[in-house]
Amino acid sequence: MEEKKVIIKTEKLCKSFSMGGMQQHVIKNMDLEIYKGDFTVIMGASGAGKSTLLYALSGMDKVSLGKVDFCDKDITGFSSDQLAIFRRKHCGFIFQQIHLIEGMSIMDNVLAAGLLTGQNKKMLAKKAKELFLKVGIDEKLWNKYPNQLSGGEAQRVGIVRALINDPDMVFGDEPTGALNSCSSTAVLDVLTDFNRAGQSIVMVTHDMKSARRGNRIIYLKDGNICGQCELGEYISGDKERHEKLRRFLGEMGW
Ligand SMILES: Nc1ncnc2c1ncn2[C@@H]1O[C@H](COP(=O)(O)OP(=O)(O)OP(=O)(O)O)[C@@H](O)[C@H]1O
Ligand SMILES: [Mg+2]
C-alpha cells in the first residue's frame, strides 16, 4: 500500500485561554498527523476542544505553545496577515453557520471568495459553475440571494465557496449541525464525493451519521487525543464498518 503523505503535523501543540486571570488549558501537548487525501473526523464531548483544535490546525487562531506544520510550512510563527494570506490559499472552511453575504447572489458570494486570491474572473466563473453543478445547485439558483435558499442548499453553496480556491484542506466544524436529515445526507454525499476525488477534509462532528463518512476518527477528551479508529473507505450500508465505529465510540465513552 502506498504510504500516506502528512499534510498537517502538530508537535506538542498547546492552546490556552486566559479567563479572569486563570489559564484554561484547552489543547494539551498534542502530537498529531493529518494525512493528505484523508477524510479525518474529530469527535468528543462538548467542550473537549474540537473547535479549538480545528482553529489551531487551520491557522484561524494562534497557538499558545508548540508547532503546526501545514504543507511543510511552520505556520506557528506567522503574523496575523501572513496567516490570512496562507488560509485563503490553502484552506477552505465550512461551518454550521454558513455566513453567506446577504446582499449578493450566491454566484457573487462564490466569486468574491475566489477574487480574494487574485484569480481571473472568467476562469473563476467557469469553475464556480462546474462546482455548483457538482453539488446539485442548478443554474436557476445561481442568481438567487442566500435568504432565498433552503438550509441544505445554502450549505452546498458554502461547500462551493470553500472549494473555489482549490484548497489543500477543507475544514468543517459541524457543517451538518443545523440541517434536517435529508439535507444533511445531501451535504455529506457531496463531501464524500469530493473526498473520493482526492480532496483532504478534516471535519468536527457530534453525530455518528456524519462521522461514518470519515476514514479516520480521532476522539478528544479534555484537550488530549483519547483514541483513534481507522475505518477505511466509506461504503454506504457497510454494517461491519458501522459496527466498528459504534464499538470504538462506546470504548471512548461517547
Ligand atoms: N475564545 C475563547 N476564550 C475563552 N475560552 C474559550 C475560547 N474558545 C474556547 N474556549 C473554551 O475552550 C473549551 C473548549 O472549547 P471548544 O469550542 O474547542 O469545544 P468543542 O469541543 O468544540 O465543543 P462543542 O462540541 O460544544 O462545540 C471550552 O471550555 C471553551 O469555553
Ligand atoms: Mg465546537
Side-chain angles (χ1 to χ4, degrees), residues 46-47 49-52 55 173-174 204 206:
S46 184
K50 304 180 296 296
S51 297
T52 304
Y55 298 157
D173 197 351
E174 305 192 41
V204 167
H206 271 292

Side-chain angles (χ1 to χ4, degrees), residues 94 98 135-137 149-157 159 174-191 207 209-210 213:
I94 322 168
I98 304 156
V135 305
I137 299 285
L149 303 185
S150 72
E153 287 167 343
Q155 191 55 291
R156 282 179 280 144
V157 174
I159 294 175
E174 305 192 41
T176 60
L179 302 180
N180 64 33
S181 173
C182 187
S183 304
S184 159
T185 301
V187 163
L188 291 169
D189 283 345
V190 164
L191 292 176
D207 90 275
K209 181 177 139 187
S210 302
R213 301 302 181 117

